[in-house]
């Protein structure tokens, strides 16, 4: 493979068998960190004919998930070091067997030098071979690649520690997960019987990191004392926010399951301490405080849109809930041009809802407005952003904007 145009930009590669500038250690790939996931099959050094490094990689599977009858995988995150100005051809060899292989079409991988700002890099999916190829020449020595901007458990801990220093925030540890992580809930606002209870649950599926950015964006706006929307929201409601419902899966670099291989968004009919303590802990807390509105935030691998998945199929669906759901959807349209109501999963058939799914189970159990809010991994097709695609930054801003929509529906919830 020849990369004539690139040779000029990579003088260290113009000859053969030169030692890299790093002093002998060549290209290295590592995922031994919180949320990392990759296995290295092989790394080829450049030779005279080939001025690029070809890295053959594979994504590690989540534990087998009984409810979905498969071992999920799609999330990846790894660091390549000693790579400055080296042409990297990174082949994710098992991409074709991932949980949502069709979602690789139109997808570009995320990269970051500082682990805060993530940008997209050229990515090609070959359906025949099932190989996803990421091509990049890093401008820095070390670069991180991931399925989406990383939201590590370490960042989660820093975020909740920062937020609990505010007067109106309580940080409650509801219990521990199977791996021994603390399951955190942020309670914002002074509880009072007449106030509505607004729940935001994010990241039941750990690979959907945008969900935690949305939760963080919403909470940070809520804590802005100069913001009239936030002040009013806190007068009328108390917010119960679970920013990361699946810290075990997040830590382990899973796409979809917890440490036991449970898909938490299929556990709400019968959560158990053995398989899904995360769901049991949150549901018990909901039973104690009540729910008037629940946003369950997710990421969709395939669709380039933000959309709601509603509760039309639950047995308790009625005119009141239909009106509330419509009101929320309309309010989101006004709150953010990134939200749309044209594309999505379609309406559920009456009585056919899968009651193992959080929004369905919560809507039914508490006779309340509950929705699944989906954000893209790729971008919004209506207003694409070519450098970053859909991003952590846009997720944070969308979470902040969504608070405006929540405020609009609060007076109608009961
Ligand atoms: Zn999800």
């Amino acid at each position: 493979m020849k990369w004539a145009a690139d040779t000029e930009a990579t003088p260290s590669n113009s000859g053969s068998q030169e030692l890299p500038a790093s002093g002998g250690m060549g290209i290295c790939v590592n995922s031994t960190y919180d949320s990392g996931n990759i296995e290295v099959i092989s790394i080829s050094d450049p030779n005279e004919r080939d001025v690029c490094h070809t890295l053959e990689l594979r994504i590690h599977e989540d534990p087998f998930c009984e409810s979905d009858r498969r071992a999920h995988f799609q999330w990846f995150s790894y660091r390549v070091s000693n790579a400055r100005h080296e042409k990297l051809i990174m082949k994710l060899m098992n991409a074709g067997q991932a949980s949502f292989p069709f979602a690789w079409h139109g997808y570009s991988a995320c990269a970051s030098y500082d682990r805060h700002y993530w940008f997209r890099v050229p990515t090609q999916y070959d359906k025949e071979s099932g190989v996803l190829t990421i091509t990049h020449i890093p401008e820095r020595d070390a670069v991180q690649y991931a399925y989406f901007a990383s939201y590590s458990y370490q960042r989660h801990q820093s975020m909740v520690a920062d937020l609990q220093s505010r007067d109106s925030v309580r940080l409650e540890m509801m219990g521990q997960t199977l791996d021994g992580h603390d399951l955190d809930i942020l309670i914002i606002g002074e509880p009072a019987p007449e106030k509505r209870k607004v729940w935001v649950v994010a990241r039941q599926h750990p690979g959907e990191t945008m969900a935690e950015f949305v939760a963080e964006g919403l909470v940070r706006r809520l804590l802005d004392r100069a913001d009239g929307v936030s002040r009013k929201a806190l007068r009328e409601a108390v917010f119960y926010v679970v920013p990361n419902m699946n810290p075990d899966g997040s830590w382990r670099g899973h796409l979809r399951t917890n440490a036991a291989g449970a898909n938490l968004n299929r556990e709400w009919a019968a959560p158990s301490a053995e398989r899904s303590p995360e769901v049991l802990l949150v549901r018990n807390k909901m039973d104690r405080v009540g729910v008037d509105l629940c946003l369950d935030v997710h990421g969709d691998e395939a669709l380039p849109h933000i959309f709601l998945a509603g509760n039309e199929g639950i047995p308790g669906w009625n005119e009141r809930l239909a009106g509330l759901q419509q009101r929320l959807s309309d309010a989101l349209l006004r709150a953010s041009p990134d939200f749309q109501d044209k594309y999505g999963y379609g309406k559920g058939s009456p009585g056919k809802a899968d009651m193992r799914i959080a929004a369905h189970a919560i809507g039914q159990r508490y006779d309340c407005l509950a929705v699944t809010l989906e954000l893209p991994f790729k971008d919004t097709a209506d207003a694409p952003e070519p450098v970053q695609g859909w991003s952590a930054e846009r997720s944070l801003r969308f979470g902040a904007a969504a608070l405006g929509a929540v405020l609009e529906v609060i007076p109608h919830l009961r």
Side-chain angles (χ1 to χ4, degrees):
M1 204 180 292
K2 280 202 168 74
W3 298 94
D6 296 315
T7 315
E8 287 172 18
T10 57
S12 67
N13 268 347
S14 56
S16 63
Q17 305 295 322
E18 278 186 11
L19 278 180
S22 52
M25 192 76 186
I27 299 288
C28 277
V29 176
N30 199 328
S31 64
T32 309
Y33 55 82
D34 162 5
S35 80
N37 179 335
I38 210 72
E39 289 173 23
V40 178
I41 300 169
S42 66
I43 302 177
S44 77
D45 284 330
N47 56 39
E48 280 179 61
R49 284 176 307 166
D50 192 1
V51 296
C52 59
H53 301 263
T54 302
L55 290 71
E56 291 193 342
L57 310 168
R58 70 183 294 283
I59 306 172
H60 191 69
E61 299 88 351
D62 295 4
F64 186 81
C65 175
E66 272 177 44
S67 64
D68 303 357
R69 295 188 194 86
R70 66 158 297 155
H72 284 287
F73 68 92
Q74 194 125 2
W75 171 264
F76 59 89
S77 174
Y78 57 93
R79 186 177 99 138
V80 180
S81 46
N82 303 335
R84 184 187 288 242
H85 296 163
E86 305 285 342
K87 175 125 191 167
L88 307 176
I89 309 285
M90 297 168 281
K91 293 176 176 290
L92 273 53
M93 304 302 288
N94 61 344
Q97 291 101 54
S99 296
F100 309 100
F102 49 90
W104 296 123
H105 294 287
Y107 167 77
S108 297
C110 298
S112 177
Y113 299 121
D114 62 7
R115 293 168 36 108
H116 292 290
Y117 177 78
W118 293 79
F119 53 93
R120 303 280 173 160
V121 291
T123 304
Q124 284 288 328
Y125 179 60
D126 180 52
K127 195 179 165 189
E128 292 301 308
S129 62
V131 174
L132 186 81
T133 303
I134 305 166
T135 307
H136 188 219
I137 303 172
E139 292 168 6
R140 300 286 181 269
D141 295 311
V143 54
Q144 216 144 3
Y145 299 98
Y147 187 34
F148 193 79
S150 192
Y151 200 124
S152 66
Y153 187 63
Q154 198 160 32
R155 178 180 168 134
H156 165 87
Q157 287 182 300
S158 299
M159 187 260 292
V160 296
D162 174 36
L163 294 179
Q164 70 150 346
S165 63
R166 317 293 185 89
D167 287 341
S168 52
V169 177
R170 296 295 307 274
L171 170 60
E172 190 178 305
M173 199 281 275
M174 289 184 286
Q176 285 183 336
T177 61
L178 298 170
D179 278 349
H181 287 113
D182 292 342
L183 192 64
D184 293 326
I185 182 167
L186 293 161
I187 303 170
I188 302 150
E190 209 54 54
E194 72 278 8
K195 286 186 176 178
R196 299 290 167 258
K197 282 83 184 173
V198 175
W199 283 77
V200 179
V201 173
R203 240 179 140 184
Q204 292 197 81
H205 295 143
E208 296 161 11
T209 56
M210 63 290 283
E212 188 162 9
F213 287 110
V214 168
E216 182 184 333
L218 188 144
V219 170
R220 289 200 183 276
R221 182 174 183 193
L222 202 48
L223 295 174
D224 180 353
R225 290 180 179 197
D227 189 318
V229 167
S230 308
R231 290 161 53 86
K232 186 155 192 260
L234 288 179
R235 281 200 299 276
E236 297 181 0
V238 183
F239 286 73
Y240 297 85
V241 181
V242 185
N244 186 348
M245 180 100 184
N246 196 337
D248 290 359
S250 306
W251 174 276
R252 288 162 169 247
H254 288 180
L255 174 74
R256 215 163 161 78
T257 66
N258 71 356
N263 175 350
L264 297 185
N265 207 25
R266 298 294 183 276
E267 291 287 317
W268 286 77
S272 73
E274 295 73 33
R275 273 180 54 77
S276 46
E278 303 89 345
V279 175
L280 194 61
L281 289 165
V282 171
R283 201 191 68 179
N284 288 346
K285 181 80 184 171
M286 287 177 166
D287 281 351
R288 286 195 294 276
V289 304
V291 187
D292 296 311
L293 164 62
C294 181
L295 297 179
D296 181 29
V297 192
H298 287 256
D300 186 276
E301 288 80 357
L303 292 176
H305 299 287
I306 301 183
F307 58 96
L308 288 184
N311 264 357
E312 296 85 1
I314 65 172
W317 188 244
N318 55 37
E319 262 181 50
R320 182 181 76 88
L321 294 179
L324 285 172
Q325 191 174 294
Q326 189 61 49
R327 198 178 275 277
L328 177 64
S329 178
D330 292 345
L332 283 166
L333 285 170
R334 284 190 289 276
S336 171
D338 283 331
F339 181 80
Q340 56 80 53
D341 62 356
K342 191 171 169 197
Y343 300 97
Y345 299 150
K347 282 194 187 348
S349 307
K352 290 282 196 310
D354 183 342
M355 299 308 288
R356 302 171 304 168
I357 292 175
H360 299 336
I362 293 165
Q364 179 69 25
R365 191 176 181 92
Y366 308 101
D367 184 31
C368 70
L369 174 59
V371 291
T372 309
L373 176 62
E374 295 278 355
L375 288 94
F377 274 87
K378 297 172 182 171
D379 204 344
T380 50
D382 300 329
E385 203 294 304
V387 178
Q388 285 193 285
W390 189 255
S391 62
E393 292 83 353
R394 292 173 76 190
S395 303
L396 286 161
R397 302 299 189 288
F398 181 79
L403 181 63
V406 169
L407 177 62
E408 275 197 49
V409 301
I410 285 175
H412 307 280
L413 289 173
R414 293 290 175 192

